[in-house]
Amino acid sequence: MSAKPLSAWTRTHLDDLLADLSLLVGLESPSTDKALLDTTAASIRAWVEDRLGPPAEWIRHEQVEHGDVLTATYPGTPGKPVLLLCHYDTVWPAGTLAGWPFTVDDGTARGPGVYDMKAGLVTGVWALRALRALGLPHPTVTFVFTGDEELGSPMSRPLIEDAARDCAAALVLEPGVGWDVKTERKGVGTFTITTTGIESHAGNDPAAGASAVHALAELVTRLAAAADPDAGTTINIGTFDGGTARNVVAGRAHCLVDVRISRQDEADRVDEVLAALRPSDPRVDVHIGGEWNRPAMRLTPASEALFGLADEVATELRGPLEPISVGGGSDANFLAALGVPVLDGLGCSGAGPHARHEHVIVDDIPDRVALVAGLLHRMTS
């Protein structure tokens, strides 16, 4: 079946799509505010059931500090389910909405979290609603809504991986840019380097001191030089602080490091560089902490086949998809590492994640919903 009827149906419901987007943006859900996250999770459950009816199974995995993980399964044709993955937490602090409410103007919808990624929730739920409204077959769909993605998914990762292991494929509803989907993402490492030296008076007895600041400056210069952009490896020293006063040889210094890699061998090489970091002053101790938060997401043959199905649908709707590779990580990285066929960036088109110009393109919303719906339908044939 052509995907055109899906697009026609979603376009007649554009006002409803925008109303739901306004509803979700109006639920402030900063990643670090447990009370607001709990309220949002309860509202999402009520919203999903209102749009799709009660699922065959609801599970709310309660978390102590982070946002709860919600899973909802809606039966379809026989076979393995398809995972629709999205997060409801945002980077915006409580109170942001008061000065920056949801608006629709000049063809864009704006508001905190509208693009990353409240619009993704709307895309997934309305994709299934469109299929059911038109009587089109679809696989069993399991939605997973997480509340800690912007923190690196510390609590939701094992739950995401458990949900994905028995799935035929995973569609991640992170935002898109244009008429594209994300087929590759870089792996992400977050590290800390702490140096501990010896304090002394910088004027009266400088030789007695061992500067933690000088040592850390030496180390980060060496570490930054290990970047290899041609191999897809970037190293960013995001913060650097230390010492207590201008005239005190610093006893302590600390920095935060962000590393992005496209290949596992580059992760191994960076690990070796980190392990070998030693200052020229042996009196300064070095401690390196942190971890690889997300493995690199590569385009596997299974994911390439899934992209081919999506491209067929997209071509019927508007034109061929462009597969893109991006530097940012997402929960899709975890799924790719498990060998699950996965596509990312299937949410709404727009720009400005984590920025005040965050927005989605209104005219693209129906086609992005139709794309996800058409892909789900195509996976039953």
Side-chain angles (χ1 to χ4, degrees):
M1 172 189 165
S2 169
K4 289 291 188 181
L6 285 165
S7 180
W9 187 90
T10 55
R11 287 203 170 276
T12 64
H13 289 81
L14 178 56
D15 288 345
D16 298 319
L17 291 165
L18 289 172
D20 277 3
L21 187 53
S22 175
L23 170 70
L24 294 181
V25 172
L27 298 169
E28 289 193 300
S29 50
S31 302
T32 56
D33 193 316
K34 176 61 174 169
L36 285 175
L37 290 167
D38 284 349
T39 298
T40 300
S43 297
I44 287 173
R45 174 169 182 166
W47 168 69
V48 171
E49 290 199 5
D50 188 64
R51 297 298 176 267
L52 298 175
E57 181 181 51
W58 262 115
I59 302 177
R60 180 165 178 165
H61 302 272
E62 296 185 357
Q63 307 297 318
V64 175
E65 296 180 0
H66 300 293
D68 295 347
V69 177
L70 308 176
T71 62
T73 299
Y74 286 90
T77 56
K80 291 185 175 181
V82 174
L83 180 67
L84 292 186
L85 177 60
C86 46
H87 67 87
Y88 61 88
D89 63 314
T90 76
V91 299
W92 299 102
T96 302
L97 199 63
W100 183 25
F102 178 82
T103 59
V104 178
D105 187 45
D106 292 331
T108 60
R110 302 177 183 273
V114 66
Y115 180 57
D116 187 13
M117 60 169 293
K118 299 293 178 70
L121 280 67
V122 173
T123 301
V125 168
W126 275 85
L128 183 55
R129 183 168 182 170
L131 290 168
R132 295 168 73 179
L134 295 176
L136 298 176
H138 59 81
T140 293
V141 171
T142 297
F143 289 95
V144 176
F145 304 96
T146 69
D148 63 350
E149 194 274 345
E150 297 293 1
L151 301 176
S153 308
M155 302 306 298
S156 63
R157 177 177 180 174
L159 297 170
I160 293 168
E161 292 173 336
D162 286 345
R165 285 192 174 93
D166 294 327
C167 288
L171 308 181
V172 182
L173 301 170
E174 289 279 357
V177 179
W179 192 235
D180 61 35
V181 295
K182 298 178 176 70
T183 55
E184 293 188 325
R185 285 184 177 272
K186 286 189 177 182
V188 183
T190 56
F191 301 96
T192 62
I193 304 176
T194 303
T195 51
T196 304
I198 301 171
E199 290 185 337
S200 68
H201 194 290
N204 291 338
D205 199 9
S211 175
V213 167
H214 293 185
L216 186 57
E218 176 188 354
L219 297 184
V220 299
T221 301
R222 195 181 309 160
L223 178 60
D228 186 351
D230 291 340
T233 303
T234 60
I235 299 174
N236 181 63
I237 315 303
T239 69
F240 188 118
D241 62 81
T244 56
R246 171 191 55 80
N247 58 350
V248 178
V249 175
R252 187 174 178 84
H254 177 82
C255 71
L256 299 178
V257 183
D258 178 285
V259 184
R260 308 283 168 141
I261 50 94
S262 296
R263 309 192 313 253
Q264 183 56 43
D265 63 322
E266 279 293 285
D268 296 338
R269 183 182 69 83
V270 171
D271 280 340
E272 292 175 359
V273 172
L274 287 166
L277 290 178
R278 296 289 185 276
S280 56
D281 190 334
R283 296 175 296 168
V284 178
D285 292 328
V286 178
H287 174 77
I288 298 174
E291 62 181 356
W292 290 99
N293 176 258
R294 288 182 168 92
M297 173 184 166
R298 305 294 292 173
L299 182 60
T300 65
S303 293
E304 190 170 12
L306 184 61
F307 172 80
L309 288 179
D311 191 44
E312 291 176 7
V313 176
T315 300
E316 294 174 0
L317 290 171
R318 287 174 52 173
L321 285 174
E322 180 181 356
I324 63 173
S325 176
V326 296
S330 82
D331 290 336
N333 294 57
F334 304 142
L335 305 178
L338 294 176
V340 176
V342 58
L343 288 182
D344 196 0
L346 285 160
C348 292
S349 303
H354 303 185
R356 278 281 177 170
H357 65 281
E358 179 176 6
H359 67 274
V360 297
I361 300 170
V362 170
D363 193 54
D364 282 359
I365 296 174
D367 281 347
R368 298 295 285 196
V369 175
L371 173 61
V372 174
L375 178 55
L376 288 170
H377 175 57
R378 196 65 56 97
M379 292 172 72
T380 64
S381 59

